[in-house]
Amino acid sequence: MKALEFFDHIVKHPGEYAEKWKKETHGKVIGHFCSYTPVEIITAAGALPFRIFSSGVDISKADAHLQAYSCSLVRGALEDALSGQLDFLDGTVFPHTCDSIQRLSDIWRMNTNFGFHSDLILPVKLIGESAGEYMTAVLRKFKEALEKNIGVRISEEDLKKGIETCNRVRENLGRLYSLRQKNLHVIQSSDVHTIFKASMIMDAKQAAEKLHGLVVELEGELEGELEGESKGDNDASVPERKRLVLSGGLCTMPDIYDIVETAGGAVVWDDFCTGSRYFEGEIEEMNDPIAAIASRYLKRVNCPAKHSGVLSRGEYLVEKVRQNQADGVIFLFLKFCDPHAFDYPYMKEMLEKQGVPSMLFEIEDQTSSEGQLKTRCEAFMEML
Amino acid sequence: MTESQKPIDPEKEKRKIKSDKRMKEIMTEYYVEAKTPREQRGKKIAWITSGGPVEPLICMDIIPVYPENYGAMIGASKMGVDLCEKSEEMGYSRDLCSYARADIASATVNGGPIGGLPEPDMLICCNNICGTVLKWYEVQARYFKVPLFILDTPICHTEFTKEMRQYVVKQIKEYIAFLEDVCGKPFDYDRMDEVGALSFRGQELWQAILDTTMHKPAPITCFDAFFHLAMIVTLRGTRTVVDYYEMLLAEMKERIAAGIGMIPDEKHRLLWDNLPIWYKMRWLSDKFASHNACLVADTYTSGWTSSMKYLDPDDFLGSLAEGYTRIFLNAGTDIMADNIMGMAEKYDAVGVVFHSNRSCKPYSLGQYDIQRIVQEKMGLPTLMIEADMVDERSFSESQIDTRIDAFIEML
């Protein structure tokens, strides 16, 4: 599929994409780390919100700043920054989440020179009146800082357009998820992941258009199949795949999908910040666009570094397993990710109470984990 | 040979801190009351984070209990590994904070020193020290099924903004409403003034005690401060702390007058950064003393006075939001570096010992940069010890022993 090649190229060469975008638009590129980055505001400013993923190179320069007990995302991103791989950035936004990102922001500010450095200190607590007010207030402040630093004026109209464009990206990503959810063979999970990652790097308007084209094409294919009653998952020649939900932070290991699929499984949903947490929840049309962005963050399922109740994430996971008729859950964490590691025991227990088996896999770095993950996955799949 | 028959070394005896005995009594009384069965005790119990605003609890006659102080007790009594392993069996990763792991395990088995902490009636979590406490208190809220109040104090990397102020001020009101609700009685604002003034006075005295080490030789080392810290953490806001610290301060002044230093032949004055390594306190203390090195001050024990400049003793409640948000750990790495350099000057230290503590990311990540800044700007030699505050499995004694020797040679 040609569309897939397009997305794949961007994921493999994110810097090339950003530089080309800059040349064409003369716009600014703002790097960020998190699903709590208000990409709508950055888009409204005519800038490119660029999600920073660690390129996975060997760590050498970052070792002088970060202890070995920090996660591969934090160390890898710093390595990329210090070794000049992110030189196209005109700024970086650090939404406050975990302790490691908090300190990465300081180290980044003290050792790099990308221009605009923004600490977006959103509330950690997402419930209660004070948190809601504060969320809106800091987002408003962020908008002003961005305007000042990149020299633009963001009108209410710009904001509404930015929201609309980002909503379209999210809507299409959501449609992609439902396609995969219903029809496991229409699109492979590894491809969904690639498309997802690309859309976090791309210009929102372009992403929305490309995604829409792809989704329409896939939905058309599916319809054709259903009419012709050709091969589907109900076909007897296709062995029934085990349906799996993945849960964790950022998935830096695209191979997980191939591993799962080769082992006879199919990913039907996830609870990743590079997955459902990124696209779930449409921003409502409200008179105050900033308040509308805030409202989505307050309602959407939270990252474990934030708080919306002591059971919120467990309940979400159990519900997603039920909705997707999943057979099991794979917890996929970055090693040294404290917030996820703290939630694991209770979430596992909640699943157990529903009779849903799960397994945990910690990724230290990509290469060393692969073989081990394959073995563990195969064993887990046999157990299901 | 029994204790009383041991020959008394007059040199050692002279250096012993006489107030220690009273401190132990107070801490025992405190835990005895907290551990008294609920029916006889009458008072409610709140578990609270070490950096949390305890004054409103004292004001409401709630007994504050500190899992972090308990974590230190677990570490000091070398029960850390056992409890940490228990929590790992429960599914908690070994990479998580060892205070949290030890406490989570201890709650389920009533193990550890003093047979576990008394069960909480409520949990008060202030995230000015780390994000870990949020996750830890969520675990305990699920386990004990008691109400959890979160005081969210935004990190001030470079500034404390007006939005932050409004947010925390509003939460203080929510905090008081929460306490009124849980206790079923109105908040006593007049009493709050008294408690606030006592808290402030306690902090002043604690800082005065820490400042006695500006004198050469220093009457105490940071290892003594680690011990006496328990009081400002657990009983802040009470008369007990003020009385005790007045006594301790007087003793320090006497020591200075008599020329008594904790290290008999104080040669190298050093700073310590990060939490203590609780299970190796004695070993480290002896090790540095054997080199005539005196750890005159540390960033940890002075943390409880780090935001006094933002507190108003005459309007404690009104200044509480800023005071509890702007503590030293809730600030940027460069501000933390400035703090260390200021301390090096103040206490005339010639080197810094950093404890890179696997358990505490907000304290430890950034230390390499601070180390570089201190070396570049002040030319101070530094030592980085990779360890953990409670989990002894992360301590390599022979390696650290050699590194301390090499470091002292460099001075």
Side-chain angles (χ1 to χ4, degrees):
Chain A
M1 208 187 301
K2 226 177 132 219
L4 273 176
E5 279 167 32
F6 173 81
F7 290 113
D8 191 50
H9 187 83
I10 294 172
V11 171
K12 290 201 174 106
H13 311 279
E16 183 193 300
Y17 178 87
E19 271 162 27
K20 190 161 163 262
W21 181 91
K22 269 179 94 156
K23 210 179 260 171
E24 283 167 7
T25 62
H26 304 289
K28 307 276 189 193
V29 180
I30 307 294
H32 70 94
F33 287 92
C34 181
S35 71
Y36 287 101
T37 306
V39 288
E40 301 80 9
I41 300 177
I42 300 173
T43 302
L48 176 70
F50 180 93
R51 177 78 179 245
I52 299 171
F53 300 101
S54 154
S55 70
V57 291
D58 287 342
I59 305 294
S60 65
K61 291 192 165 72
D63 273 341
H65 303 274
L66 285 165
Q67 282 91 332
Y69 47 84
S70 7
C71 74
S72 59
L73 169 68
V74 164
R75 296 173 82 211
L78 185 65
E79 185 66 33
D80 287 347
L82 296 176
S83 58
Q85 297 217 34
L86 298 172
D87 283 354
F88 53 83
L89 291 183
D90 298 294
T92 327
V93 188
F94 288 84
H96 176 72
T97 49
C98 62
D99 294 337
S100 300
I101 285 284
Q102 171 182 315
R103 286 301 171 219
L104 177 67
S105 169
D106 287 329
I107 294 169
W108 195 276
R109 175 169 52 79
M110 292 158 67
N111 294 285
T112 67
N113 202 6
F114 295 121
F116 181 49
H117 184 102
S118 171
D119 285 307
L120 182 58
I121 314 300
L122 300 171
V124 166
K125 185 171 66 171
L126 303 177
I127 43 179
E129 202 183 294
S130 56
E133 283 173 12
Y134 177 65
M135 177 75 91
T136 310
V138 278
L139 288 174
R140 217 178 290 289
K141 197 178 163 69
F142 171 72
K143 173 189 155 267
E144 285 159 16
L146 186 66
E147 284 177 319
K148 203 173 135 215
N149 276 279
I150 67 170
V152 291
R153 163 103 184 79
I154 306 169
S155 71
E156 190 130 330
E157 211 37 54
D158 295 334
L159 271 176
K160 284 185 176 163
K161 255 195 217 147
I163 289 174
E164 194 199 306
T165 312
C166 295
N167 267 345
R168 260 174 34 226
V169 172
R170 283 191 283 264
E171 186 219 317
N172 283 296
L173 288 171
R175 276 165 75 177
L176 204 58
Y177 261 50
S178 12
L179 273 169
R180 179 180 68 175
Q181 188 183 10
K182 283 186 216 125
N183 302 276
L184 305 175
H185 67 286
V186 176
I187 185 156
Q188 288 189 322
S189 285
S190 49
D191 295 333
V192 173
H193 179 70
T194 302
I195 295 162
F196 230 87
K197 242 176 139 172
S199 66
M200 294 181 186
I201 294 164
M202 288 167 72
D203 174 88
K205 202 163 159 238
Q206 191 192 19
E209 279 161 15
K210 287 274 178 192
L211 280 169
H212 186 71
L214 178 71
V215 168
V216 168
E217 189 187 325
L218 290 173
E219 285 174 347
E221 253 178 53
L222 177 69
E223 215 164 288
E225 268 182 24
L226 289 178
E227 273 169 19
E229 282 191 312
S230 67
K231 283 194 288 181
D233 283 314
N234 299 330
D235 192 302
S237 65
V238 179
E240 204 179 313
R241 292 185 165 274
K242 297 292 176 195
R243 300 169 65 89
L244 295 169
V245 172
L246 306 184
S247 177
L250 167 113
C251 182
T252 50
M253 241 174 119
D255 292 336
I256 170 80
Y257 299 101
D258 288 333
I259 292 170
V260 166
E261 280 166 11
T262 312
V267 178
V268 289
W269 194 262
D270 69 52
D271 172 28
F272 284 153
C273 67
T274 50
S276 67
R277 278 205 290 285
Y278 182 69
F279 76 79
E280 277 195 306
E282 192 185 339
I283 296 178
E284 291 160 38
E285 271 181 49
M286 283 166 61
N287 281 336
D288 181 350
I290 299 277
I293 296 170
S295 163
R296 171 171 177 263
Y297 288 142
L298 297 169
K299 285 182 199 153
R300 192 201 72 185
V301 66
N302 62 300
C303 155
K306 306 247 173 244
H307 175 89
S308 5
V310 292
L311 293 172
S312 58
R313 295 194 59 242
E315 282 165 351
Y316 174 86
L317 186 61
V318 165
E319 178 58 17
K320 286 299 167 190
V321 166
R322 195 193 58 77
Q323 275 176 12
N324 292 284
Q325 294 133 28
D327 303 298
V329 171
I330 299 179
F331 290 97
L332 205 62
F333 301 160
L334 294 185
K335 189 164 169 64
F336 305 115
C337 176
D338 295 348
H340 277 289
F342 267 112
D343 273 358
Y344 165 69
Y346 101 87
M347 288 171 74
K348 175 188 180 339
E349 197 188 314
M350 275 179 84
L351 290 170
E352 269 167 7
K353 280 190 184 146
Q354 304 291 321
V356 181
S358 66
M359 78 165 231
L360 164 64
F361 192 82
E362 274 190 323
I363 305 168
E364 192 152 12
D365 62 73
Q366 297 189 20
T367 40
S368 65
S369 303
E370 220 180 284
Q372 225 188 342
L373 177 60
K374 196 164 173 288
T375 320
R376 294 273 319 276
C377 250
E378 281 164 3
F380 181 61
M381 229 63 86
E382 267 172 41
M383 200 194 83
L384 291 178
Chain B
M1 199 157 45
T2 64
E3 199 66 28
S4 58
Q5 288 170 316
K6 268 190 195 165
I8 291 170
D9 177 351
E11 258 303 302
K12 263 193 172 164
E13 203 52 30
K14 189 174 83 177
R15 285 174 221 293
K16 260 194 188 161
I17 300 171
K18 314 289 176 288
S19 308
D20 279 7
K21 199 170 148 265
R22 177 68 193 129
M23 158 104 181
K24 281 178 190 151
E25 282 168 17
I26 294 170
M27 291 308 288
T28 306
E29 280 163 25
Y30 159 69
Y31 275 116
V32 164
E33 186 190 15
K35 297 262 309 178
T36 303
R38 193 182 303 260
E39 315 76 63
Q40 296 160 40
R41 181 200 329 130
K43 295 178 181 174
K44 286 191 187 299
I45 284 184
W47 283 16
I48 181 167
T49 53
S50 65
V54 63
E55 295 82 1
L57 297 179
I58 307 260
C59 188
M60 292 296 265
D61 275 324
I62 298 164
I63 303 177
V65 166
Y66 293 81
E68 285 159 78
N69 174 251
Y70 189 60
M73 285 162 68
I74 291 171
S77 49
K78 299 182 199 266
M79 295 167 108
V81 174
D82 184 42
L83 287 166
C84 284
E85 280 174 351
K86 273 202 181 82
S87 76
E88 287 151 31
E89 282 162 27
M90 292 162 74
Y92 293 96
S93 161
R94 187 177 157 173
D95 300 320
L96 292 172
C97 163
S98 52
Y99 274 0
R101 273 182 293 149
D103 176 64
I104 288 167
S106 156
T108 62
V109 293
N110 284 331
I114 65 165
L117 288 178
E119 282 192 16
D121 297 294
M122 71 199 87
L123 298 160
I124 312 294
C125 172
C126 176
N127 60 1
N128 57 358
I129 44 171
C130 60
T132 286
V133 287
L134 170 72
K135 303 311 293 175
W136 175 3
Y137 277 59
E138 284 177 351
V139 171
Q140 299 301 30
R142 284 189 292 267
Y143 184 75
F144 290 109
K145 298 187 172 59
V146 293
L148 165 66
F149 183 83
I150 297 162
L151 182 71
D152 182 13
T153 46
I155 162 105
C156 310
H157 286 281
T158 53
E159 56 176 348
F160 177 63
T161 66
K162 74 170 195 301
E163 290 81 7
M164 291 174 178
R165 182 191 301 277
Q166 280 167 358
Y167 177 38
V168 186
V169 164
K170 186 146 190 182
Q171 287 180 81
I172 299 293
K173 290 187 185 129
E174 291 171 343
Y175 181 29
I176 289 172
F178 170 89
L179 294 179
E180 286 179 328
D181 187 42
V182 174
C183 297
K185 63 177 182 190
F187 191 73
D188 185 341
Y189 288 87
D190 290 334
R191 187 158 173 222
M192 183 63 217
D193 286 342
E194 286 164 38
V195 174
L198 285 170
S199 171
F200 193 86
R201 181 71 190 132
Q203 294 178 48
E204 271 180 337
L205 284 162
W206 178 235
Q207 189 59 53
I209 290 162
L210 295 176
D211 284 350
T212 59
T213 62
M214 282 160 72
H215 187 268
K216 294 176 188 172
I220 49 166
T221 73
C222 78
F223 298 104
D224 304 298
F226 292 152
F227 174 73
H228 289 93
L229 170 74
M231 198 75 89
I232 191 73
V233 177
T234 54
L235 292 163
R236 191 164 71 248
T238 64
R239 167 73 56 196
T240 317
V241 174
V242 171
D243 290 347
Y244 175 74
Y245 280 157
E246 270 169 359
M247 176 171 121
L248 184 61
L249 180 61
E251 189 183 344
M252 291 303 116
K253 284 179 177 164
E254 279 167 28
R255 283 168 81 97
I256 288 174
I260 302 170
M262 190 50 91
I263 306 294
D265 183 17
E266 180 186 298
K267 211 164 134 198
H268 311 293
R269 294 168 64 84
L270 304 173
L271 296 182
W272 175 275
D273 181 55
N274 212 307
L275 277 83
I277 303 172
W278 292 111
Y279 48 88
K280 285 287 170 191
M281 288 263 281
R282 171 56 70 81
W283 184 84
L284 282 165
S285 163
D286 289 349
K287 178 75 200 166
F288 282 105
S290 75
H291 286 293
N292 296 323
C294 178
L295 285 139
V296 288
D298 70 282
T299 55
Y300 181 60
T301 53
S302 54
W304 276 264
T305 63
S306 63
S307 62
M308 273 175 71
K309 54 180 173 285
Y310 309 114
L311 287 171
D312 178 357
D314 298 322
D315 180 20
F316 196 86
L317 191 60
S319 60
L320 196 126
E322 183 166 3
Y324 274 95
T325 304
R326 304 185 78 174
I327 68 151
F328 79 114
L329 208 46
N330 208 32
T333 300
D334 34 358
I335 297 174
M336 290 166 79
D338 287 344
N339 179 41
I340 291 192
M341 288 192 289
M343 287 179 79
E345 252 171 51
K346 178 176 177 185
Y347 297 97
D348 197 17
V350 297
V352 186
V353 181
F354 291 91
H355 167 207
S356 164
N357 181 359
R358 285 180 73 92
S359 272
C360 192
K361 292 192 172 85
Y363 215 149
S364 304
L365 304 188
Q367 268 178 327
Y368 291 179
D369 279 82
I370 297 176
Q371 183 182 29
R372 181 181 45 78
I373 292 169
V374 169
Q375 281 167 353
E376 283 173 7
K377 288 199 177 162
M378 294 187 81
L380 293 184
T382 58
L383 169 67
M384 190 67 66
I385 296 178
E386 303 280 346
D388 184 272
M389 57 200 182
V390 162
D391 193 339
E392 216 169 327
R393 291 170 295 176
S394 301
F395 189 88
S396 159
E397 188 170 304
S398 58
Q399 199 190 16
I400 291 167
D401 189 66
T402 319
R403 299 203 56 204
I404 293 175
D405 291 342
F407 171 66
I408 301 283
E409 247 174 62
M410 243 166 56
L411 295 172

